[in-house]
Amino acid sequence: MRELAIYVHFPFCQKRCAYCDFPSSAGKEGLIPPYLAAVAREFAAEEVHWAESLFPTVFFGGGTPSLAPPDELIRLLETFRATGRLAEGAEVTLEANPGTVDRAKLAALRAAGFNRLSLGVQCRDDGLLKLLGRIHDRRQAEAAVADARSAGFANINLDLIFGLPGQTRQEWEATLKWAVGLGPTHLSCYGLQLEEGTPLAAAVASGQLRLPAEEETAGMMETAMVLLPEFGYEQYEISNYAKPGYACRHNQLYWERGDYLGLGAGACSTLGFLRWSNPADPEAYLRQMAVEGRPNRDLERLSDRQAVLEEIMLGLRLRRGLDKVAFARRRGPLENWVGEAARYLIAEGWLETAGPYLRLSQKAVLVSNAVIGRLCEALID
Ligand code: SF4
């Protein structure tokens, strides 16, 4: 049976963070119950897409899905389970903000089948957390991990951001050691992206805040790449590290360009060559669900070339690389698409082959966008 990952976008937060441009609104908690009910209706309306599938993973992302009452989240998970399509041992992830969880809430979710918790702790320093506009402090992050573990979550991810204003390589190293000390099974380490229109971008533009120099930020990424494996975390994707057996299956499916059904405002779906996105505004989404029974979508049919481009770009993010044999089965030999550029990048030491895989060399991981971009130049119309 075909595998189809389920993604639920939860577009509400308690408060907007200073760096964030994700589709999410604050102060609209009243919309949460009708919203999750609408997501369940959207899922039912999509039966044609999931009827022949098995769901290996379900991911509640946001926004801050942990802001929702646990009963509402559990009801939606039960809707998926009631189809009989949820795979045995499916990975069910909830993204959570440490400022919105307690032991009782986590225990209810764990008992209902959520088995992976992804906590947005972001950093260790209370001053930086405040500057980022996070609603939690370091003590709450530590308490959230302890509560999750005592509630029965064995699989816990911590999201971290490096390259923050005023952050040094030493401070980042201390943050990593602190995070490792909390004993997560998985760590996601992303460099700060300054998004236009955010308060943080404005503060940097006005000179009120200063970001670390580019070399300092690259050094922070290198620190993670050296330090985390020493503690048993394998870098399995450019920004993601896991203890053996704990790589995120849901995200792996994205990087392997598998099929996924996205539900809710702003969610995107990809089924083979078909892609669509729901309206980002939750109120527009709710209106369309009430009036038409499904959201108005931007539907797109991808060309062969676009699908190949995505497969290469995503596959090379994985440290094991792009599986050339599997690729050739779907799209013909990789050589026919990017042969010349691949040969050049291998000769220059940016790409390497390992068994059936084509992957970034160690030095290329630090400049991955430039290397992948160079490989794909020939494919971009
Ligand atoms: S909690 Fe997450 S999604 Fe919400 S505003 Fe902050 S960074 Fe954005």
Side-chain angles (χ1 to χ4, degrees), residues 7-12 35 58-65 93-95 263:
Y7 174 76
V8 176
H9 188 69
F10 184 87
F12 306 104
Y35 177 80
V58 180
F59 195 105
F60 288 68
T64 308
T93 301
L94 180 79
E95 282 189 339
L263 303 166

Side-chain angles (χ1 to χ4, degrees), residues 145 149 153-158 176-187 233 243:
V145 176
R149 196 161 289 122
F153 280 94
N155 192 359
I156 301 171
N157 168 58
L158 303 182
L176 286 171
K177 288 183 175 161
W178 165 77
V180 164
L182 298 176
T185 46
H186 191 287
L187 284 158
Y233 294 90
K243 291 268 170 131

Side-chain angles (χ1 to χ4, degrees), residues 9-10 12-26 62-64 95 97 120 122 132-135 161:
H9 188 69
F10 184 87
F12 306 104
C13 291
Q14 193 168 310
K15 174 177 169 265
R16 296 285 296 162
C17 300
Y19 57 96
C20 179
D21 77 337
F22 294 159
S24 173
S25 15
T64 308
E95 282 189 339
N97 185 313
Q122 316 309 5
L132 294 177
R134 300 292 299 178
I135 58 168
I161 306 178

Side-chain angles (χ1 to χ4, degrees), residues 94 140 277:
L94 180 79
Q140 281 171 298
S277 310

Side-chain angles (χ1 to χ4, degrees), residues 98-349:
T100 61
V101 289
D102 57 33
R103 198 191 168 283
K105 195 172 191 175
L106 292 169
L109 293 164
R110 179 68 195 94
F114 287 85
N115 52 27
R116 184 172 183 272
L117 192 72
S118 178
L119 284 165
V121 307
Q122 316 309 5
C123 61
R124 174 195 67 132
D125 181 83
D126 280 343
L128 279 175
L129 285 166
K130 203 159 177 192
L131 189 142
L132 294 177
R134 300 292 299 178
I135 58 168
H136 73 275
D137 59 18
R138 169 178 169 174
R139 193 198 52 76
Q140 281 171 298
E142 291 166 354
V145 176
D147 285 343
R149 196 161 289 122
S150 72
F153 280 94
N155 192 359
I156 301 171
N157 168 58
L158 303 182
D159 277 345
L160 297 172
I161 306 178
F162 60 88
L164 297 171
Q167 194 176 36
T168 61
R169 204 165 165 173
Q170 288 72 21
E171 200 287 327
W172 169 243
E173 187 173 332
T175 298
L176 286 171
K177 288 183 175 161
W178 165 77
V180 164
L182 298 176
T185 46
H186 191 287
L187 284 158
S188 296
C189 304
Y190 287 98
L192 176 72
Q193 298 289 328
L194 260 198
E195 304 293 351
E196 224 178 293
T198 59
L200 191 69
V204 171
S206 70
Q208 195 191 329
L209 291 175
R210 279 185 62 163
L211 294 182
E214 230 173 82
E215 313 81 71
E216 182 82 353
T217 306
M220 291 182 202
M221 183 163 176
E222 224 174 338
T223 300
M225 286 168 62
V226 172
L227 190 84
L228 294 178
E230 287 173 12
F231 289 94
Y233 294 90
E234 186 200 350
Q235 185 185 20
Y236 70 99
E237 194 266 352
I238 291 174
S239 307
N240 287 280
Y241 300 79
K243 291 268 170 131
Y246 287 99
C248 175
R249 282 152 56 192
H250 186 84
N251 286 339
Q252 261 183 313
L253 193 136
Y254 283 149
W255 293 315
E256 287 161 4
R257 207 182 171 282
D259 289 341
Y260 55 90
L261 178 66
L263 303 166
C268 172
S269 303
T270 300
L271 283 98
F273 287 93
L274 217 55
R275 165 147 324 141
W276 65 83
S277 310
N278 289 349
D281 174 19
E283 279 153 297
Y285 170 82
L286 276 169
R287 257 193 322 274
Q288 290 165 14
M289 285 304 299
V291 176
E292 294 162 45
R294 60 191 336 147
N296 295 338
R297 289 153 168 173
D298 283 338
L299 186 69
E300 191 185 357
R301 182 170 286 279
L302 302 176
S303 67
D304 226 18
R305 186 174 284 263
Q306 281 170 308
V308 164
L309 183 69
E310 287 184 3
E311 267 188 51
I312 296 175
M313 291 176 81
L314 294 168
L316 285 178
R317 290 195 62 88
L318 290 167
R319 286 305 288 123
R320 71 159 191 242
L322 176 72
D323 185 336
K324 291 187 289 175
V325 177
F327 179 94
R329 265 199 306 273
R330 290 187 299 271
R331 319 272 177 224
L334 186 62
E335 169 72 21
N336 293 357
W337 293 97
V338 290
E340 196 182 317
R343 276 193 299 280
Y344 168 76
L345 291 166
I346 289 171
E348 294 292 314

